[in-house]
Amino acid sequence: GQNIDQPTEMTATEGAIVQINCTYQTSGFNGLFWYQQHAGEAPTFLSYNVLDGLEEKGRFSSFLSRSKGYSYLLLKELQMKDSASYLCAVMDSNYQLIWGAGTKLIIKP
Amino acid sequence: GAVVSQHPSWVICKSGTSVKIECRSLDFQATTMFWYRQFPKQSLMLMATSNEGSKATYEQGVEKDKFLINHASLTLSTLTVTSAHPEDSSFYICSASEDDEQYFGPGTRLTVT
C-alpha cells in the first residue's frame, strides 16, 4: 500500500532550528510537497522537490532522497508564527496526492 | 486514520460540458468539507467551504454559478464544473474536517479539451 509517515507533534524553542522528517512508500513518484497550515486556514505551499538534494528558500529548506524515500523540512531561526501543522504530500505515478497526517509544530518562547 | 476519497481520479471532457467530482469521507462524518484547486507545483487555492445541509461559502473570485457545490450528506460533497473551459483544467482537491483535524483527498485531475 501507499504510505506517508511524519511525526505527529514536535516542540522547539524560538530562535532554534527544527527538522521535520517525512518517509514515504508510494507507487511511483512525481514530486513531494511541503505545506504549512495554521489552524482554520488553507494550507500554504512551502516547497516542491522532484530531484534529490536540498532546496533552500529563506528560513525554510527542503531535502529529498528518492532512493531512501525520505524528505525533511528544515526551519531555521524559528519564530512564534511558525507554530502550525506541516503537511508532507507525495504525488504518485497516477498524479494522485498521497498525504501525510501532518506534524504539529509547537514553538515555545 | 480518517480517509477521504475522490471520484473520478482523472477526467477529460470537452469544452462546454459539465463535470461532477465527488468527495467522500469514508470512515467519519464530516460536517465541513473544503474544495481546493492546485496550480502546478504550487499553492492550494481554497475555492469554497461547504457545510452539510447549507449553501457553500465561496472565496472571493470564485464563480458560484460555475462551480456548483452540494454537500447533501455528512459523508459526501460534490463539485460540479459547469460549462467547462480549457482554463478550468486543473487539479481539484477536497478535504473533510472532523473535530479540528482536516483530511485531504487524493485529488481529481480535470482536463478540458
Side-chain angles (χ1 to χ4, degrees):
Chain A
Q2 309 208 89
N3 195 50
I4 307 274
D5 283 316
Q6 52 180 129
T8 305
E9 187 175 295
M10 298 182 72
T11 302
T13 305
E14 191 176 14
I17 299 173
V18 72
Q19 177 175 310
I20 303 174
N21 295 325
C22 172
T23 57
Y24 63 90
Q25 291 176 308
T26 58
S27 43
F29 179 83
N30 278 298
L32 184 145
F33 298 80
W34 282 99
Y35 288 93
Q36 178 193 62
Q37 187 176 29
H38 287 98
E41 297 180 14
T44 55
F45 171 81
L46 293 178
S47 67
Y48 171 75
N49 294 67
V50 68
L51 298 175
D52 289 351
L54 184 69
E55 299 225 357
E56 298 185 70
K57 274 187 190 179
R59 295 190 299 114
F60 293 5
S61 303
S62 57
F63 171 83
L64 174 69
S65 169
R66 287 172 298 172
S67 62
K68 294 182 180 178
Y70 167 69
S71 172
Y72 68 71
L73 180 70
L74 191 71
L75 293 76
K76 302 176 186 175
E77 300 168 21
L78 286 170
Q79 302 174 9
M80 296 303 293
K81 66 178 182 179
D82 297 330
S83 291
S85 284
Y86 291 84
L87 299 164
C88 171
V90 172
M91 189 162 275
D92 68 11
S93 57
N94 292 318
Y95 295 94
Q96 295 279 280
L97 278 175
I98 314 300
W99 293 88
T103 298
K104 184 176 181 181
L105 178 62
I106 300 167
I107 310 295
K108 295 186 175 179
Chain B
V3 178
V4 175
S5 70
Q6 284 184 238
H7 177 80
S9 303
W10 287 83
V11 57
I12 300 173
C13 71
K14 292 186 177 180
S15 244
T17 61
S18 294
V19 174
K20 181 186 282 189
I21 302 170
E22 293 184 350
C23 176
R24 292 182 185 274
S25 57
L26 297 185
D27 50 3
F28 67 101
Q29 293 184 327
T31 52
T32 305
M33 289 185 171
F34 305 86
W35 285 97
Y36 297 89
R37 183 171 175 174
Q38 185 194 44
F39 295 95
K41 304 176 188 177
Q42 290 184 33
S43 310
L44 294 180
M45 183 196 82
L46 179 64
M47 299 175 65
T49 302
S50 77
N51 294 295
E52 186 264 339
S54 63
K55 290 184 179 180
T57 303
Y58 289 82
E59 296 299 305
Q60 192 173 8
V62 178
E63 298 176 58
K64 62 180 181 181
D65 294 330
K66 180 169 181 62
F67 298 99
L68 301 179
I69 290 172
N70 187 300
H71 193 160
S73 78
L74 287 171
T75 58
L76 173 65
S77 176
T78 60
L79 168 68
T80 301
V81 183
T82 62
S83 187
H85 290 142
E87 55 264 32
D88 298 326
S89 297
S90 191
F91 195 55
Y92 293 87
I93 300 168
C94 76
S95 71
S97 178
E98 181 185 42
D99 298 326
D100 292 331
E101 298 292 331
Q102 199 174 121
Y103 303 97
F104 289 85
T108 296
R109 188 163 298 279
L110 170 64
T111 302
V112 184
T113 60

